Amino acid sequence: MLSTVCVYCGSSQSIRQVYDDAASCLGQEFARRNISLIYGGGSMGLMGRVAETVQNGGGDVIGVIPFALEKISGQTPGKVIVTSDMHQRKAAMAAKADAFIALPGGFGTLEELFEIVTWRQIGYHSKPIGLLNVDGFFDSLLNFLDDIVEDGFITQAARSILIVESNPAVLIDKLTAATGG
């Protein structure tokens, strides 16, 4: 069963509406299913949209933010955990989550996604990891990962760690099934 999901996503405010809509839809699903959100804190971009939607729907929100970013990230809805650095932030989010979802984002989102996938691959955790592939955002990345499998740098088993869906409700269903719930 999923009780808390960590979401990685962009904080940019210069995004297409389709991404904002998907973040809202995911937040609504969390609130409807009573799934708590843990995320990188703040109120900007998709990060803020997911958190605001979960909180407005009556759900629990935990923002984990490094001290250096606390003053520039905007108001964090819900409970705030301040860490000394990014490494502590990522470790705290991973420890509290039952699963992970990445939405569209930039370098930070991709870095967090690949780190948590690597941790799963080497056995640090067995939690499911999903990609919400909004409007084909991750298609090029998924094709690249398929090329890496073909070239022998990762196994098909490692590639299959990522559960990919374009619909938030279906993705949550698949992540729940992957936890045995």
Side-chain angles (χ1 to χ4, degrees), residues 2 25-26 29 32-33 101 131-132 163-177:
L2 296 180
C25 204
L26 181 66
E29 280 297 314
R32 185 176 73 77
R33 297 175 190 230
I101 295 176
L131 282 181
L132 187 57
I163 299 169
V164 182
E165 274 299 330
S166 60
N167 179 294
V170 175
L171 181 57
I172 292 169
D173 289 342
K174 288 186 175 183
L175 294 173
T176 301

Side-chain angles (χ1 to χ4, degrees), residues 6 8-9 11 39-41 47 64-70 72-73 81-94 106-113 115-116 119:
C6 177
Y8 304 126
C9 56
S11 62
Y39 80 115
M47 293 173 67
V64 183
I65 192 159
F67 176 77
L69 298 179
E70 187 179 20
I72 63 171
S73 297
I81 298 171
V82 179
T83 62
S84 63
D85 58 35
M86 291 293 282
H87 298 290
Q88 282 188 350
R89 172 197 195 190
K90 292 185 293 185
M93 292 187 332
F107 288 129
T109 302
L110 294 173
E111 184 271 334
E112 290 171 321
L113 171 65
E115 182 171 58
I116 209 67
W119 288 4

